[in-house]
mmCIF file of all heavy atoms in Angstrom:
data_model
loop_
_atom_site.group_PDB
_atom_site.id
_atom_site.type_symbol
_atom_site.label_atom_id
_atom_site.label_comp_id
_atom_site.label_asym_id
_atom_site.label_seq_id
_atom_site.Cartn_x
_atom_site.Cartn_y
_atom_site.Cartn_z
ATOM 1 N N MET A 248 39.983 -23.775 227.666
ATOM 2 C CA MET A 248 40.047 -25.209 227.521
ATOM 3 C C MET A 248 40.085 -25.809 228.920
ATOM 4 O O MET A 248 40.834 -25.311 229.790
ATOM 5 C CB MET A 248 41.288 -25.599 226.717
ATOM 6 C CG MET A 248 41.476 -27.066 226.508
ATOM 7 S SD MET A 248 40.379 -27.751 225.275
ATOM 8 C CE MET A 248 41.120 -27.106 223.791
ATOM 9 N N VAL A 249 39.359 -26.905 229.149
ATOM 10 C CA VAL A 249 39.409 -27.598 230.405
ATOM 11 C C VAL A 249 39.905 -29.015 230.129
ATOM 12 O O VAL A 249 39.492 -29.650 229.132
ATOM 13 C CB VAL A 249 37.988 -27.660 231.009
ATOM 14 C CG1 VAL A 249 37.974 -28.448 232.306
ATOM 15 C CG2 VAL A 249 37.443 -26.230 231.266
ATOM 16 N N GLU A 250 40.755 -29.510 231.003
ATOM 17 C CA GLU A 250 41.265 -30.897 230.888
ATOM 18 C C GLU A 250 40.893 -31.622 232.180
ATOM 19 O O GLU A 250 41.173 -31.141 233.282
ATOM 20 C CB GLU A 250 42.768 -30.898 230.707
ATOM 21 C CG GLU A 250 43.376 -32.264 230.431
ATOM 22 C CD GLU A 250 43.777 -32.996 231.685
ATOM 23 O OE1 GLU A 250 44.148 -32.329 232.667
ATOM 24 O OE2 GLU A 250 43.710 -34.262 231.734
ATOM 25 N N GLU A 251 40.240 -32.760 232.028
ATOM 26 C CA GLU A 251 39.904 -33.593 233.170
ATOM 27 C C GLU A 251 40.289 -35.043 232.830
ATOM 28 O O GLU A 251 39.633 -35.651 231.968
ATOM 29 C CB GLU A 251 38.416 -33.549 233.516
ATOM 30 C CG GLU A 251 37.938 -32.183 234.012
ATOM 31 C CD GLU A 251 36.434 -32.153 234.278
ATOM 32 O OE1 GLU A 251 35.712 -33.064 233.870
ATOM 33 O OE2 GLU A 251 36.004 -31.148 234.846
ATOM 34 N N ASP A 252 41.362 -35.559 233.463
ATOM 35 C CA ASP A 252 41.799 -36.918 233.271
ATOM 36 C C ASP A 252 42.014 -37.239 231.794
ATOM 37 O O ASP A 252 41.573 -38.306 231.291
ATOM 38 C CB ASP A 252 40.816 -37.928 233.864
ATOM 39 C CG ASP A 252 40.634 -37.710 235.383
ATOM 40 O OD1 ASP A 252 41.673 -37.452 236.035
ATOM 41 O OD2 ASP A 252 39.515 -37.810 235.879
ATOM 42 N N GLY A 253 42.665 -36.360 231.028
ATOM 43 C CA GLY A 253 42.950 -36.608 229.611
ATOM 44 C C GLY A 253 41.801 -36.314 228.708
ATOM 45 O O GLY A 253 41.881 -36.466 227.474
ATOM 46 N N HIS A 254 40.684 -35.844 229.240
ATOM 47 C CA HIS A 254 39.489 -35.469 228.463
ATOM 48 C C HIS A 254 39.471 -33.935 228.329
ATOM 49 O O HIS A 254 39.508 -33.257 229.383
ATOM 50 C CB HIS A 254 38.233 -35.986 229.163
ATOM 51 C CG HIS A 254 36.980 -35.568 228.550
ATOM 52 N ND1 HIS A 254 36.438 -36.212 227.452
ATOM 53 C CD2 HIS A 254 36.104 -34.556 228.861
ATOM 54 C CE1 HIS A 254 35.279 -35.637 227.149
ATOM 55 N NE2 HIS A 254 35.066 -34.628 227.969
ATOM 56 N N TYR A 255 39.454 -33.432 227.128
ATOM 57 C CA TYR A 255 39.480 -31.950 226.950
ATOM 58 C C TYR A 255 38.139 -31.493 226.450
ATOM 59 O O TYR A 255 37.483 -32.192 225.639
ATOM 60 C CB TYR A 255 40.514 -31.587 225.901
ATOM 61 C CG TYR A 255 41.941 -31.820 226.334
ATOM 62 C CD1 TYR A 255 42.567 -33.021 226.157
ATOM 63 C CD2 TYR A 255 42.643 -30.785 226.941
ATOM 64 C CE1 TYR A 255 43.864 -33.261 226.566
ATOM 65 C CE2 TYR A 255 43.951 -30.971 227.368
ATOM 66 C CZ TYR A 255 44.554 -32.205 227.194
ATOM 67 O OH TYR A 255 45.818 -32.418 227.623
ATOM 68 N N TYR A 256 37.738 -30.273 226.861
ATOM 69 C CA TYR A 256 36.529 -29.650 226.352
ATOM 70 C C TYR A 256 36.583 -28.132 226.555
ATOM 71 O O TYR A 256 37.364 -27.661 227.371
ATOM 72 C CB TYR A 256 35.265 -30.241 226.988
ATOM 73 C CG TYR A 256 35.097 -29.941 228.453
ATOM 74 C CD1 TYR A 256 34.438 -28.768 228.882
ATOM 75 C CD2 TYR A 256 35.612 -30.791 229.427
ATOM 76 C CE1 TYR A 256 34.269 -28.486 230.226
ATOM 77 C CE2 TYR A 256 35.433 -30.504 230.769
ATOM 78 C CZ TYR A 256 34.794 -29.356 231.178
ATOM 79 O OH TYR A 256 34.629 -29.087 232.503
ATOM 80 N N PHE A 257 35.762 -27.443 225.780
ATOM 81 C CA PHE A 257 35.562 -26.009 225.980
ATOM 82 C C PHE A 257 34.192 -25.629 225.459
ATOM 83 O O PHE A 257 33.553 -26.386 224.739
ATOM 84 C CB PHE A 257 36.680 -25.170 225.344
ATOM 85 C CG PHE A 257 36.720 -25.235 223.831
ATOM 86 C CD1 PHE A 257 35.978 -24.306 223.078
ATOM 87 C CD2 PHE A 257 37.447 -26.181 223.161
ATOM 88 C CE1 PHE A 257 36.032 -24.315 221.680
ATOM 89 C CE2 PHE A 257 37.497 -26.232 221.790
ATOM 90 C CZ PHE A 257 36.784 -25.279 221.053
ATOM 91 N N HIS A 258 33.744 -24.449 225.831
ATOM 92 C CA HIS A 258 32.449 -23.935 225.385
ATOM 93 C C HIS A 258 32.672 -22.771 224.445
ATOM 94 O O HIS A 258 33.704 -22.037 224.559
ATOM 95 C CB HIS A 258 31.644 -23.443 226.618
ATOM 96 C CG HIS A 258 31.402 -24.555 227.585
ATOM 97 N ND1 HIS A 258 32.105 -24.668 228.758
ATOM 98 C CD2 HIS A 258 30.575 -25.627 227.540
ATOM 99 C CE1 HIS A 258 31.673 -25.743 229.418
ATOM 100 N NE2 HIS A 258 30.754 -26.356 228.683
ATOM 101 N N PHE A 259 31.729 -22.570 223.557
ATOM 102 C CA PHE A 259 31.790 -21.432 222.641
ATOM 103 C C PHE A 259 30.363 -21.030 222.312
ATOM 104 O O PHE A 259 29.410 -21.726 222.654
ATOM 105 C CB PHE A 259 32.612 -21.732 221.375
ATOM 106 C CG PHE A 259 32.056 -22.872 220.507
ATOM 107 C CD1 PHE A 259 31.379 -22.578 219.342
ATOM 108 C CD2 PHE A 259 32.241 -24.199 220.903
ATOM 109 C CE1 PHE A 259 30.890 -23.630 218.562
ATOM 110 C CE2 PHE A 259 31.776 -25.232 220.104
ATOM 111 C CZ PHE A 259 31.086 -24.975 218.945
#
Side-chain angles (χ1 to χ4, degrees):
M248 180 76 72
V249 177
E250 186 270 330
E251 292 178 350
D252 300 320
H254 175 82
Y255 291 89
Y256 68 90
F257 67 90
H258 301 103
F259 62 104

